[in-house]
Each structure stands twice: as structure tokens, then as C-alpha cells.
Amino acid sequence: MKKALVVFSGGQDSTTCLIHYTHIYDEIHCITFDYNQLHKSEIDCSLLISNKLGIKNHIILDIKYLQNISMSSLTSNKFLINDIHPIDSILPSTFVPGRNILFLTLSSIYAYSHKINSVILGVNEVDFSGYPDCRNKFIQEMNNVINIGMNCNIKFLTPLMNLNKSEIWALSDYWNSIDIILNDTVTCYNGIQGKGCNKCQACILRKQGFDKWHLNRSYYMDSIKQKMKL
């Protein structure tokens, strides 16, 4: 039986990954992290979506302690969502230092304990917000460290890594799941379900991708079929 673990936030990208892999793997597990994010509504949406998709193994992991050691506008209202990061002006304030390192470490422990060899992430380095821990180089290096440190053969899969937002919309369209992405996900940094606030960077990228996809659906459908070998 082929099993996979999806690192699942309840946002557009991880939901698209989840939908995609339900057609590929026999058994899907989901892991969602509660790090006391201000847009906490994404956790409720992740449960709603996994239930809709019939996912029986979904764990919510409490890592609220991350808020105590990591500065970000996603975990503290001391900083503005659209501002620069208080530690590094090159990064957006929404960057949570160490978040994906922690996510991947804890997800790998879960995968190892459940004899799962595939850990799926919705990270992307085409239309992303400048997060260094969403780059392919980081994922590959982290994967290597995990396998050395746990003497295992876990594979991090990043199907969206080289897709733009319009292609990500096209992938959900391919699986007839546009309604779920439009209505049930939380991509918005302000925690507004569905279309979001239309003001934060996440909402802007999402809408730009949607508009381009909607204007040229056939082009983007052909593109993802080729890239994803569908």
C-alpha cells in the first residue's frame, strides 16, 4: 500500500497537493501545525477540507512554543503584515524563522513512525513571497539531513515547486476542485476564508494567478499536463 503524508495548512497550495495525491496514493495522512498563527482559521479549514476529501488520518500538532522564540507578523500583531521583517530587511514580516525546518523535522518523525516514505509539501519558488525555506535547495538539503539523522529513506515531494500560481489553479481545475480552493481554503494572512482580504501579499498573488488562469484556462491546463505528466 502506497502511503503519503501531506504537510497541510488548509491554504491553496497544500490543498491542491492534497487533492492531487489522493488520486495517486492509497492512503493519505495529513499533519497540520498550530503555532498560534494569527490566521488560525486555516486550521479549522484544514479539518473541513480533509473531512470533505475523506482523509481518516489527520493530526493537529501543537507547537505554540514557536511563537515564543520566532519573530513574525504571522504570530504577533506587533508587526504589520505588509512590512519588512524586523530582523532582516530583505525578508517580508510574514517570514517565520525556522518554521519549515521545524515542520519538516516533525513531519519526518511522524512519517518514520507510520512507515511512510513520502512527505508532500506545497512549497513553491516561482510565485512565492521571498521565503528562503521555500526554495528547492533548502528542501533537498533538509531531506538529506533527515535521512542521515534518522537512517531512513524518506522523500520530500514538492509538486508545485516549479509551477506559477496560474498553473496551481489549473491543477485544481484538472481535478475538478476549483470550488474547494475558492471557498474552503485560507491563503489570506489575515485569516479570511475563500477570496481573502485582497490586500495582503498572499491574497494579491492568489488573485493575480486566478485572473491569468481564468483568461487562458486551456493554455495553463496544457502547461500543467506537460509539467506534471498528467
Side-chain angles (χ1 to χ4, degrees), residues 127-150:
D127 288 336
F128 77 126
S129 300
Y131 300 158
D133 57 1
C134 286
R135 295 175 299 178
N136 193 45
K137 181 180 179 181
F138 163 74
I139 300 298
Q140 291 179 340
E141 295 285 355
M142 192 70 186
N143 201 166
N144 188 44
V145 168
I146 291 293
N147 285 335
I148 292 173
M150 294 172 60

Side-chain angles (χ1 to χ4, degrees), residues 9 27 35 39 47 72 77 89 96 111 119 131 161 167-168 191 202 216 223:
S9 70
E27 182 177 308
Y35 55 99
H39 56 308
L47 290 168
S72 170
N77 53 21
S89 61
V96 184
V119 175
Y131 300 158
M161 182 60 74
E167 290 169 327
I168 294 171
N216 204 342
S223 179

Side-chain angles (χ1 to χ4, degrees), residues 17 21 119-123 136 139 156-162:
C17 284
Y21 281 102
V119 175
I120 298 160
L121 305 102
V123 294
N136 193 45
I139 300 298
F156 293 162
L157 303 179
T158 54
L160 310 185
M161 182 60 74
N162 297 310

Side-chain angles (χ1 to χ4, degrees), residues 29-203:
H29 294 237
C30 289
I31 186 167
T32 300
F33 295 97
D34 180 355
Y35 55 99
N36 223 24
Q37 56 268 50
L38 297 182
H39 56 308
K40 206 167 185 176
S41 56
E42 67 176 4
I43 297 174
D44 293 332
C45 286
S46 74
L47 290 168
L48 169 69
I49 295 165
S50 65
N51 185 58
K52 270 191 178 182
L53 297 176
I55 307 300
K56 296 180 180 179
N57 302 291
H58 187 178
I59 181 175
I60 309 296
L61 206 57
D62 187 341
I63 55 168
K64 293 188 184 73
Y65 53 81
L66 181 60
Q67 182 188 36
N68 299 326
I69 58 173
S70 187
M71 298 178 70
S72 170
S73 60
L74 293 190
T75 57
S76 173
N77 53 21
K78 294 179 181 178
F79 314 107
L80 298 176
I81 288 290
N82 291 325
D83 206 351
I84 60 174
H85 199 275
I87 301 297
D88 188 342
S89 61
I90 296 176
L91 300 173
S93 67
T94 50
F95 176 63
V96 184
R99 181 180 62 175
N100 282 354
I101 296 173
L102 189 57
F103 283 7
L104 288 171
T105 301
L106 296 172
S107 297
S108 297
I109 295 170
Y110 179 97
Y112 181 91
S113 301
H114 290 80
K115 298 182 179 179
I116 298 172
N117 293 323
S118 299
V119 175
I120 298 160
L121 305 102
V123 294
N124 169 273
E125 66 177 11
V126 179
D127 288 336
F128 77 126
S129 300
Y131 300 158
D133 57 1
C134 286
R135 295 175 299 178
N136 193 45
K137 181 180 179 181
F138 163 74
I139 300 298
Q140 291 179 340
E141 295 285 355
M142 192 70 186
N143 201 166
N144 188 44
V145 168
I146 291 293
N147 285 335
I148 292 173
M150 294 172 60
N151 191 32
C152 61
N153 189 29
I154 291 172
K155 179 69 174 176
F156 293 162
L157 303 179
T158 54
L160 310 185
M161 182 60 74
N162 297 310
L163 301 186
N164 59 45
K165 280 296 181 186
S166 299
E167 290 169 327
I168 294 171
W169 279 107
L171 183 57
S172 58
D173 186 21
Y174 178 84
W175 293 120
N176 299 311
S177 300
I178 288 292
D179 285 347
I180 291 177
I181 305 300
L182 273 177
N183 301 315
D184 297 335
T185 60
V186 173
T187 300
C188 177
Y189 289 145
N190 289 306
I192 301 174
Q193 187 175 334
K195 292 182 179 180
C197 69
N198 292 314
K199 296 178 181 179
C200 70
Q201 184 66 12
C203 284

